[in-house]
Amino acid sequence: MGVKWTEEQEKVIRLRNRNILVSAAAGSGKTAVLVERIVRKITGENQTDIDRLVVVTFTRAAAAEMKARIRNRLDDMLDEDENNANLIKQIALVNNAQITTIDSFCLWILKNHFSEINLDPGFRVADKGEITPVSYTHLRAHET
């Protein structure tokens, strides 16, 4: 038995040729909808390889869960169609897919395109202690 999508969910799943932002309450099925959208995009008509998509989530856990759900869905589809070359290819590519947090994606862009923006290839991301502002009053209190 297939999943029964709401009209709004089905609209998000089927929408093509544009970027989308999916925002909804916790537990409303955002991850399931996005997994379905991605699976249809990489296995349906006018398919695209999964490593050509950019999927941004808010947490590493959400990104890992989405990758795992996509992989599981592709594995299930392959069980039903063992000789499907596209499914085999997408399963091989899923680990390299850009399903990540916004900060991780931005860092990937910088690491892979530093020369195009004249960035020193030895750059590093500052740690929290380096970027947290410290007030002068706070420092004076510790000097005495």
Side-chain angles (χ1 to χ4, degrees), residues 42-121:
I42 64 176
T43 63
E45 190 175 322
N46 299 318
Q47 51 197 233
T48 300
D49 288 340
I50 193 166
D51 64 345
R52 298 198 36 91
L53 302 177
V54 175
V55 181
V56 179
T57 66
F58 287 107
T59 67
R60 288 187 196 123
E65 179 183 354
M66 188 168 299
K67 268 189 182 181
R69 285 192 190 189
I70 292 167
R71 174 62 195 262
N72 290 340
R73 180 75 189 288
L74 294 172
D75 285 342
D76 290 345
M77 292 171 75
L78 188 62
D79 287 344
E80 295 175 16
D81 187 2
E82 294 176 355
N83 296 317
N84 186 315
N86 184 55
L87 288 173
I88 294 166
K89 179 181 179 183
Q90 299 311 314
I91 289 168
L93 294 174
V94 75
N95 290 328
N96 293 324
Q98 286 298 321
I99 302 172
T100 186
T101 59
I102 188 71
D103 57 318
S104 293
F105 177 69
C106 290
L107 183 58
W108 180 88
I109 291 288
L110 291 173
K111 285 182 176 181
N112 287 278
H113 299 282
F114 63 87
S115 62
E116 297 168 39
I117 59 172
N118 296 320
L119 180 66
D120 180 346

Coordinates of all heavy atoms in Angstrom, one line a residue, residues 42-121:
I42 N 15.2 11.4 -9.2 CA 16.3 10.6 -9.6 C 16.0 9.3 -10.3 O 16.8 8.7 -10.9 CB 17.3 10.3 -8.5 CG1 16.7 9.5 -7.4 CG2 17.9 11.7 -7.9 CD1 17.7 9.1 -6.2
T43 N 14.7 8.9 -10.2 CA 14.3 7.7 -10.8 C 13.2 7.8 -11.9 O 12.9 6.9 -12.6 CB 13.8 6.7 -9.8 OG1 12.6 7.2 -9.1 CG2 14.9 6.3 -8.7
G44 N 12.5 9.0 -11.9 CA 11.4 9.1 -12.8 C 11.8 9.7 -14.2 O 13.0 9.6 -14.6
E45 N 10.8 10.2 -14.9 CA 11.0 10.8 -16.2 C 12.0 12.0 -16.0 O 12.0 12.7 -15.0 CB 9.7 11.3 -16.7 CG 9.7 11.7 -18.1 CD 8.3 12.1 -18.6 OE1 7.4 11.4 -18.2 OE2 8.2 13.0 -19.4
N46 N 12.9 12.2 -17.0 CA 13.9 13.3 -17.0 C 14.7 13.3 -15.7 O 15.0 14.3 -15.1 CB 13.2 14.7 -17.1 CG 12.4 14.8 -18.4 OD1 12.9 14.4 -19.4 ND2 11.2 15.4 -18.3
Q47 N 15.1 12.1 -15.4 CA 15.9 11.9 -14.1 C 17.2 12.6 -14.1 O 17.8 12.9 -15.1 CB 16.1 10.4 -13.8 CG 16.6 9.6 -15.0 CD 16.4 8.1 -14.9 OE1 17.4 7.4 -14.9 NE2 15.2 7.7 -14.6
T48 N 17.6 12.9 -12.9 CA 18.9 13.6 -12.6 C 19.6 12.7 -11.6 O 19.0 12.1 -10.7 CB 18.6 15.0 -11.9 OG1 17.8 15.7 -12.8 CG2 19.8 15.7 -11.6
D49 N 20.9 12.7 -11.7 CA 21.7 11.9 -10.7 C 21.6 12.6 -9.3 O 21.6 13.9 -9.2 CB 23.2 11.8 -11.1 CG 23.4 10.8 -12.2 OD1 22.5 10.0 -12.5 OD2 24.4 10.9 -12.9
I50 N 21.6 11.9 -8.3 CA 21.4 12.4 -6.9 C 22.6 13.3 -6.5 O 22.4 14.2 -5.7 CB 21.2 11.3 -5.9 CG1 20.7 11.9 -4.5 CG2 22.4 10.4 -5.7 CD1 20.1 11.0 -3.6
D51 N 23.8 13.1 -7.1 CA 24.9 13.9 -6.7 C 24.9 15.3 -7.4 O 25.8 16.1 -7.3 CB 26.2 13.2 -6.9 CG 26.5 12.8 -8.3 OD1 25.6 12.9 -9.2 OD2 27.7 12.5 -8.6
R52 N 23.8 15.5 -8.2 CA 23.7 16.8 -8.9 C 22.6 17.7 -8.2 O 22.4 18.8 -8.6 CB 23.3 16.6 -10.3 CG 24.4 15.9 -11.1 CD 24.4 16.0 -12.6 NE 24.0 17.2 -13.1 CZ 24.8 18.3 -13.5 NH1 26.1 18.2 -13.2 NH2 24.3 19.3 -14.0
L53 N 22.1 17.2 -7.1 CA 21.1 17.9 -6.3 C 21.8 18.5 -5.1 O 22.7 18.0 -4.6 CB 20.0 17.0 -5.8 CG 19.2 16.2 -6.9 CD1 18.1 15.3 -6.2 CD2 18.5 17.2 -7.8
V54 N 21.2 19.6 -4.6 CA 21.6 20.2 -3.3 C 20.4 20.2 -2.4 O 19.4 20.8 -2.8 CB 22.2 21.7 -3.5 CG1 22.5 22.3 -2.2 CG2 23.4 21.7 -4.4
V55 N 20.6 19.5 -1.3 CA 19.5 19.5 -0.3 C 20.1 19.9 1.0 O 21.0 19.4 1.5 CB 19.0 18.0 -0.2 CG1 17.8 17.9 0.8 CG2 18.5 17.5 -1.5
V56 N 19.5 21.0 1.5 CA 20.0 21.6 2.7 C 19.0 21.4 3.9 O 17.8 21.7 3.7 CB 20.3 23.1 2.5 CG1 20.8 23.8 3.8 CG2 21.3 23.3 1.4
T57 N 19.5 21.0 5.0 CA 18.7 20.8 6.2 C 19.3 21.6 7.3 O 20.3 22.2 7.2 CB 18.7 19.3 6.7 OG1 20.0 19.0 7.1 CG2 18.2 18.4 5.6
F58 N 18.6 21.7 8.5 CA 19.1 22.5 9.6 C 20.1 21.8 10.5 O 20.9 22.4 11.1 CB 17.9 23.1 10.4 CG 17.2 24.2 9.6 CD1 15.9 23.9 9.1 CD2 17.7 25.4 9.5 CE1 15.2 24.9 8.4 CE2 17.1 26.4 8.8 CZ 15.8 26.2 8.3
T59 N 20.0 20.5 10.5 CA 20.9 19.7 11.4 C 21.6 18.6 10.7 O 21.0 18.1 9.7 CB 20.1 19.2 12.6 OG1 19.2 18.2 12.2 CG2 19.3 20.3 13.4
R60 N 22.7 18.2 11.3 CA 23.4 17.0 10.7 C 22.6 15.8 10.8 O 22.6 14.9 10.0 CB 24.8 16.9 11.4 CG 25.8 17.9 11.1 CD 27.1 17.6 11.7 NE 28.0 18.8 11.7 CZ 28.5 19.3 12.7 NH1 28.4 18.8 13.9 NH2 29.2 20.4 12.6
A61 N 21.9 15.7 12.0 CA 21.0 14.5 12.2 C 19.9 14.4 11.1 O 19.7 13.3 10.6 CB 20.4 14.6 13.6
A62 N 19.3 15.5 10.8 CA 18.3 15.5 9.7 C 18.9 15.2 8.4 O 18.3 14.4 7.6 CB 17.6 16.9 9.7
A63 N 20.1 15.7 8.1 CA 20.7 15.3 6.8 C 21.0 13.8 6.8 O 20.8 13.2 5.7 CB 22.0 16.1 6.6
A64 N 21.6 13.3 7.8 CA 21.9 11.9 7.9 C 20.6 11.0 7.8 O 20.6 10.0 7.1 CB 22.6 11.5 9.2
E65 N 19.6 11.4 8.4 CA 18.3 10.7 8.3 C 17.8 10.7 6.9 O 17.3 9.7 6.4 CB 17.3 11.3 9.3 CG 15.9 10.6 9.2 CD 14.9 11.2 10.1 OE1 15.2 12.1 10.9 OE2 13.7 10.7 10.0
M66 N 17.8 11.9 6.3 CA 17.3 12.0 4.9 C 18.1 11.1 4.0 O 17.6 10.3 3.1 CB 17.4 13.4 4.4 CG 16.7 13.5 3.1 SD 16.4 15.2 2.6 CE 15.3 15.8 3.9
K67 N 19.5 11.1 4.1 CA 20.3 10.2 3.3 C 19.9 8.7 3.5 O 19.8 7.9 2.6 CB 21.8 10.4 3.5 CG 22.4 11.4 2.7 CD 23.9 11.4 2.9 CE 24.6 12.5 2.0 NZ 26.0 12.5 2.2
A68 N 19.8 8.4 4.8 CA 19.4 7.0 5.1 C 18.1 6.6 4.5 O 17.9 5.5 4.0 CB 19.5 6.8 6.6
R69 N 17.1 7.5 4.6 CA 15.8 7.2 4.1 C 15.8 7.0 2.6 O 15.1 6.1 2.0 CB 14.8 8.2 4.5 CG 14.3 8.2 5.9 CD 13.1 9.1 6.1 NE 12.8 9.3 7.5 CZ 11.7 10.0 7.8 NH1 10.8 10.4 6.9 NH2 11.4 10.1 9.1
I70 N 16.6 7.9 1.9 CA 16.7 7.8 0.5 C 17.4 6.5 0.1 O 16.9 5.7 -0.8 CB 17.5 9.0 -0.1 CG1 16.7 10.3 0.0 CG2 17.9 8.7 -1.6 CD1 17.5 11.5 -0.2
R71 N 18.4 6.1 0.8 CA 19.1 4.9 0.5 C 18.2 3.7 0.7 O 18.2 2.8 -0.1 CB 20.4 4.8 1.4 CG 21.2 3.5 1.3 CD 21.7 3.2 -0.1 NE 22.1 1.9 -0.3 CZ 23.3 1.4 -0.2 NH1 24.3 2.3 0.0 NH2 23.6 0.2 -0.4
N72 N 17.5 3.7 1.8 CA 16.6 2.6 2.1 C 15.5 2.5 1.0 O 15.2 1.4 0.6 CB 15.9 2.8 3.5 CG 16.9 2.5 4.6 OD1 18.0 1.9 4.4 ND2 16.6 3.1 5.8
R73 N 15.0 3.6 0.6 CA 13.9 3.6 -0.4 C 14.5 3.0 -1.7 O 13.9 2.2 -2.4 CB 13.4 5.0 -0.6 CG 12.3 5.1 -1.6 CD 11.0 4.6 -1.2 NE 10.1 4.6 -2.3 CZ 9.5 5.6 -2.8 NH1 9.8 6.8 -2.4 NH2 8.7 5.5 -3.9
L74 N 15.7 3.5 -2.1 CA 16.3 3.0 -3.3 C 16.6 1.5 -3.2 O 16.4 0.7 -4.2 CB 17.6 3.7 -3.6 CG 17.5 5.2 -4.0 CD1 18.8 5.9 -4.1 CD2 16.7 5.4 -5.3
D75 N 17.1 1.0 -2.0 CA 17.3 -0.4 -1.8 C 16.0 -1.2 -2.0 O 16.0 -2.3 -2.6 CB 17.9 -0.7 -0.4 CG 19.3 -0.3 -0.3 OD1 20.0 -0.1 -1.3 OD2 19.8 -0.1 0.9
D76 N 14.9 -0.7 -1.4 CA 13.6 -1.4 -1.6 C 13.2 -1.4 -3.1 O 12.7 -2.5 -3.5 CB 12.5 -0.7 -0.8 CG 12.7 -0.8 0.7 OD1 13.5 -1.7 1.2 OD2 12.1 0.0 1.5
M77 N 13.4 -0.4 -3.8 CA 13.1 -0.3 -5.2 C 13.9 -1.3 -6.0 O 13.4 -2.0 -6.9 CB 13.2 1.1 -5.8 CG 12.2 2.1 -5.2 SD 12.6 3.8 -5.7 CE 12.1 3.8 -7.4
L78 N 15.2 -1.4 -5.6 CA 16.1 -2.4 -6.3 C 15.7 -3.8 -6.0 O 15.8 -4.7 -6.9 CB 17.6 -2.1 -5.9 CG 18.6 -2.9 -6.7 CD1 18.6 -2.5 -8.1 CD2 20.0 -2.6 -6.1
D79 N 15.2 -4.1 -4.8 CA 14.7 -5.4 -4.5 C 13.6 -5.9 -5.5 O 13.5 -7.0 -5.8 CB 14.1 -5.5 -3.1 CG 15.2 -5.5 -2.0 OD1 16.4 -5.7 -2.4 OD2 14.9 -5.2 -0.8
E80 N 12.8 -4.9 -5.9 CA 11.7 -5.1 -6.9 C 12.1 -5.2 -8.3 O 11.5 -5.7 -9.2 CB 10.6 -4.1 -6.7 CG 9.9 -4.2 -5.3 CD 8.9 -3.1 -5.1 OE1 8.5 -2.4 -6.1 OE2 8.5 -2.9 -3.9
D81 N 13.3 -4.5 -8.6 CA 13.8 -4.4 -10.0 C 15.3 -4.6 -9.9 O 16.0 -3.6 -10.1 CB 13.4 -3.1 -10.6 CG 13.7 -3.0 -12.1 OD1 14.2 -3.9 -12.7 OD2 13.4 -1.9 -12.6
E82 N 15.8 -5.8 -9.7 CA 17.2 -6.0 -9.4 C 18.2 -5.6 -10.6 O 19.4 -5.4 -10.3 CB 17.4 -7.5 -9.1 CG 16.7 -8.0 -7.9 CD 16.9 -9.5 -7.6 OE1 17.4 -10.2 -8.5 OE2 16.4 -9.9 -6.6
N83 N 17.7 -5.5 -11.8 CA 18.6 -5.2 -12.9 C 18.5 -3.7 -13.3 O 19.0 -3.4 -14.4 CB 18.3 -6.1 -14.1 CG 18.6 -7.6 -13.7 OD1 19.6 -7.9 -13.1 ND2 17.7 -8.4 -14.1
N84 N 17.9 -2.9 -12.5 CA 17.7 -1.5 -12.9 C 19.0 -0.7 -12.7 O 19.5 -0.5 -11.6 CB 16.6 -0.9 -12.0 CG 16.3 0.5 -12.4 OD1 17.1 1.4 -12.7 ND2 15.0 0.8 -12.4
A85 N 19.7 -0.5 -13.8 CA 21.0 0.2 -13.8 C 21.0 1.6 -13.2 O 21.9 1.9 -12.5 CB 21.5 0.3 -15.2
N86 N 19.9 2.3 -13.3 CA 19.8 3.6 -12.7 C 19.7 3.5 -11.2 O 20.4 4.3 -10.5 CB 18.6 4.4 -13.2 CG 18.6 5.8 -12.7 OD1 19.6 6.6 -12.8 ND2 17.5 6.2 -12.0
L87 N 19.0 2.6 -10.7 CA 18.9 2.4 -9.2 C 20.3 2.1 -8.7 O 20.7 2.6 -7.6 CB 17.9 1.4 -8.8 CG 16.4 1.7 -9.0 CD1 15.5 0.5 -8.8 CD2 16.0 2.9 -8.1
I88 N 21.0 1.2 -9.3 CA 22.3 0.8 -8.9 C 23.2 2.0 -8.9 O 24.0 2.2 -7.9 CB 22.9 -0.4 -9.8 CG1 22.0 -1.6 -9.6 CG2 24.3 -0.6 -9.5 CD1 22.2 -2.7 -10.6
K89 N 23.1 2.8 -9.9 CA 24.0 4.0 -10.0 C 23.6 5.0 -8.9 O 24.5 5.5 -8.3 CB 23.8 4.7 -11.4 CG 24.6 5.9 -11.6 CD 24.3 6.5 -13.0 CE 25.0 7.8 -13.2 NZ 24.7 8.4 -14.5
Q90 N 22.3 5.2 -8.7 CA 21.9 6.2 -7.6 C 22.4 5.7 -6.2 O 22.8 6.5 -5.4 CB 20.4 6.5 -7.7 CG 20.0 7.1 -9.0 CD 20.8 8.2 -9.5 OE1 21.1 9.2 -8.7 NE2 21.1 8.2 -10.7
I91 N 22.3 4.4 -6.0 CA 22.7 3.9 -4.7 C 24.2 4.1 -4.5 O 24.7 4.5 -3.4 CB 22.4 2.4 -4.6 CG1 20.9 2.2 -4.4 CG2 23.1 1.7 -3.4 CD1 20.4 0.8 -4.6
A92 N 25.0 4.0 -5.6 CA 26.4 4.2 -5.5 C 26.7 5.7 -5.3 O 27.7 6.1 -4.7 CB 27.1 3.8 -6.8
L93 N 25.9 6.6 -5.8 CA 26.1 8.0 -5.7 C 25.6 8.7 -4.5 O 26.0 9.8 -4.1 CB 25.5 8.8 -6.9 CG 26.1 8.5 -8.3 CD1 25.2 9.2 -9.4 CD2 27.5 9.0 -8.4
V94 N 24.7 8.0 -3.8 CA 24.0 8.7 -2.6 C 24.9 9.1 -1.5 O 24.7 10.2 -0.9 CB 22.9 7.8 -2.1 CG1 23.4 6.6 -1.2 CG2 21.9 8.6 -1.2
N95 N 26.0 8.4 -1.3 CA 27.0 8.9 -0.3 C 27.7 10.1 -0.6 O 28.2 10.8 0.3 CB 28.0 7.7 0.1 CG 27.3 6.6 0.8 OD1 26.4 6.8 1.5 ND2 27.8 5.4 0.5
N96 N 27.8 10.5 -1.9 CA 28.4 11.7 -2.3 C 27.4 12.9 -2.5 O 27.8 13.9 -3.0 CB 29.3 11.5 -3.6 CG 30.4 10.6 -3.3 OD1 31.1 10.6 -2.2 ND2 30.7 9.7 -4.2
A97 N 26.2 12.6 -2.3 CA 25.2 13.6 -2.6 C 25.3 14.8 -1.6 O 25.7 14.6 -0.4 CB 23.8 13.0 -2.4
Q98 N 25.0 16.0 -2.0 CA 25.1 17.2 -1.2 C 23.7 17.3 -0.4 O 22.9 18.1 -0.7 CB 25.3 18.4 -2.0 CG 26.7 18.5 -2.5 CD 27.7 18.6 -1.3 OE1 27.5 19.3 -0.3 NE2 28.8 18.0 -1.4
I99 N 23.6 16.4 0.6 CA 22.5 16.5 1.5 C 23.1 16.8 2.9 O 23.7 15.9 3.5 CB 21.7 15.1 1.6 CG1 21.2 14.8 0.2 CG2 20.6 15.2 2.6 CD1 20.6 13.4 0.1
T100 N 23.0 18.1 3.2 CA 23.9 18.5 4.3 C 23.3 19.8 5.0 O 22.2 20.3 4.6 CB 25.3 18.9 3.7 OG1 26.1 19.2 4.8 CG2 25.2 20.0 2.7
T101 N 23.9 20.3 6.0 CA 23.5 21.6 6.6 C 24.0 22.7 5.7 O 25.0 22.6 4.9 CB 24.1 21.7 8.0 OG1 25.5 21.7 8.0 CG2 23.5 20.6 8.9
I102 N 23.5 23.9 5.9 CA 23.9 25.1 5.2 C 25.3 25.4 5.4 O 26.1 25.7 4.5 CB 22.9 26.3 5.4 CG1 23.3 27.4 4.5 CG2 23.0 26.8 6.9 CD1 22.9 27.2 3.0
D103 N 25.8 25.3 6.7 CA 27.2 25.7 7.0 C 28.1 24.6 6.3 O 29.2 25.0 5.8 CB 27.4 25.8 8.5 CG 27.1 24.6 9.3 OD1 26.0 24.0 9.0 OD2 27.8 24.2 10.2
S104 N 27.8 23.4 6.3 CA 28.6 22.4 5.7 C 28.7 22.6 4.2 O 29.7 22.4 3.5 CB 28.1 21.0 6.0 OG 28.3 20.7 7.4
F105 N 27.5 22.9 3.6 CA 27.5 23.1 2.2 C 28.3 24.4 1.8 O 29.1 24.3 0.8 CB 26.0 23.3 1.7 CG 26.0 23.6 0.2 CD1 26.3 22.7 -0.7 CD2 25.6 24.9 -0.2 CE1 26.3 22.9 -2.1 CE2 25.5 25.2 -1.6 CZ 25.9 24.2 -2.5
C106 N 28.2 25.4 2.6 CA 29.0 26.6 2.3 C 30.5 26.3 2.4 O 31.3 26.8 1.6 CB 28.6 27.8 3.2 SG 27.0 28.4 2.9
L107 N 30.9 25.5 3.4 CA 32.3 25.2 3.5 C 32.7 24.3 2.4 O 33.8 24.5 1.8 CB 32.5 24.4 4.9 CG 33.9 24.0 5.2 CD1 34.9 25.2 5.2 CD2 34.0 23.2 6.5
W108 N 31.9 23.4 1.9 CA 32.2 22.6 0.7 C 32.5 23.5 -0.5 O 33.4 23.3 -1.3 CB 31.1 21.6 0.5 CG 31.3 20.7 -0.7 CD1 32.0 19.5 -0.7 CD2 30.9 20.9 -2.1 NE1 32.0 19.0 -2.0 CE2 31.4 19.8 -2.9 CE3 30.2 22.0 -2.7 CZ2 31.1 19.8 -4.2 CZ3 30.0 21.9 -4.1 CH2 30.5 20.8 -4.8
I109 N 31.6 24.5 -0.7 CA 31.8 25.4 -1.8 C 33.1 26.1 -1.7 O 33.9 26.2 -2.7 CB 30.6 26.5 -1.8 CG1 29.3 25.8 -2.2 CG2 31.0 27.6 -2.7 CD1 29.2 25.4 -3.6
L110 N 33.5 26.6 -0.5 CA 34.7 27.3 -0.4 C 35.9 26.4 -0.6 O 36.9 26.8 -1.3 CB 34.8 27.9 1.0 CG 33.9 29.1 1.3 CD1 34.0 29.5 2.8 CD2 34.2 30.3 0.4
K111 N 35.9 25.2 -0.1 CA 37.0 24.3 -0.3 C 37.2 23.8 -1.7 O 38.3 23.5 -2.2 CB 36.8 23.0 0.6 CG 37.1 23.3 2.0 CD 36.9 22.0 2.8 CE 37.3 22.2 4.3 NZ 37.1 21.0 5.1
N112 N 36.0 23.8 -2.5 CA 36.1 23.3 -3.9 C 36.2 24.4 -4.9 O 36.5 24.1 -6.1 CB 34.9 22.4 -4.2 CG 35.0 21.1 -3.5 OD1 35.7 20.2 -4.0 ND2 34.4 21.0 -2.3
H113 N 36.1 25.6 -4.5 CA 36.1 26.8 -5.4 C 37.0 27.9 -4.9 O 36.8 29.1 -5.3 CB 34.7 27.2 -5.8 CG 33.9 26.2 -6.4 ND1 34.0 25.8 -7.7 CD2 33.0 25.3 -5.9 CE1 33.2 24.8 -8.0 NE2 32.5 24.5 -6.9
F114 N 37.9 27.7 -4.0 CA 38.7 28.7 -3.4 C 39.4 29.6 -4.4 O 39.6 30.8 -4.3 CB 39.6 28.2 -2.3 CG 40.7 27.3 -2.9 CD1 41.9 27.7 -3.4 CD2 40.4 25.9 -2.9 CE1 42.8 26.8 -3.9 CE2 41.4 25.0 -3.4 CZ 42.6 25.5 -3.9
S115 N 39.9 28.9 -5.5 CA 40.7 29.6 -6.5 C 39.9 30.6 -7.3 O 40.4 31.6 -7.7 CB 41.4 28.6 -7.4 OG 40.4 27.8 -8.1
E116 N 38.6 30.3 -7.5 CA 37.8 31.2 -8.2 C 37.5 32.5 -7.5 O 37.1 33.5 -8.1 CB 36.5 30.5 -8.6 CG 36.7 29.3 -9.5 CD 35.5 28.4 -9.6 OE1 34.3 28.9 -9.7 OE2 35.6 27.1 -9.6
I117 N 37.6 32.5 -6.2 CA 37.4 33.7 -5.4 C 38.6 34.2 -4.8 O 38.6 35.1 -3.9 CB 36.2 33.5 -4.4 CG1 36.6 32.4 -3.4 CG2 34.9 33.3 -5.0 CD1 35.6 32.3 -2.2
N118 N 39.8 33.7 -5.2 CA 41.1 34.2 -4.7 C 41.2 34.0 -3.2 O 41.7 34.9 -2.5 CB 41.4 35.6 -5.1 CG 41.5 35.8 -6.6 OD1 42.1 34.9 -7.3 ND2 41.0 36.8 -7.1
L119 N 40.7 32.9 -2.7 CA 40.8 32.6 -1.3 C 42.0 31.7 -1.0 O 42.3 30.8 -1.8 CB 39.6 31.8 -0.8 CG 39.5 31.4 0.6 CD1 39.4 32.6 1.5 CD2 38.2 30.5 0.8
D120 N 42.8 32.0 0.0 CA 43.9 31.2 0.4 C 43.5 29.8 0.6 O 42.6 29.5 1.4 CB 44.6 31.8 1.6 CG 45.8 31.0 2.1 OD1 46.1 29.9 1.6 OD2 46.5 31.5 3.0
P121 N 44.1 28.8 -0.1 CA 43.6 27.4 0.1 C 43.9 26.8 1.5 O 43.3 25.8 1.8 CB 44.4 26.6 -1.0 CG 45.6 27.5 -1.3 CD 45.1 28.9 -1.1

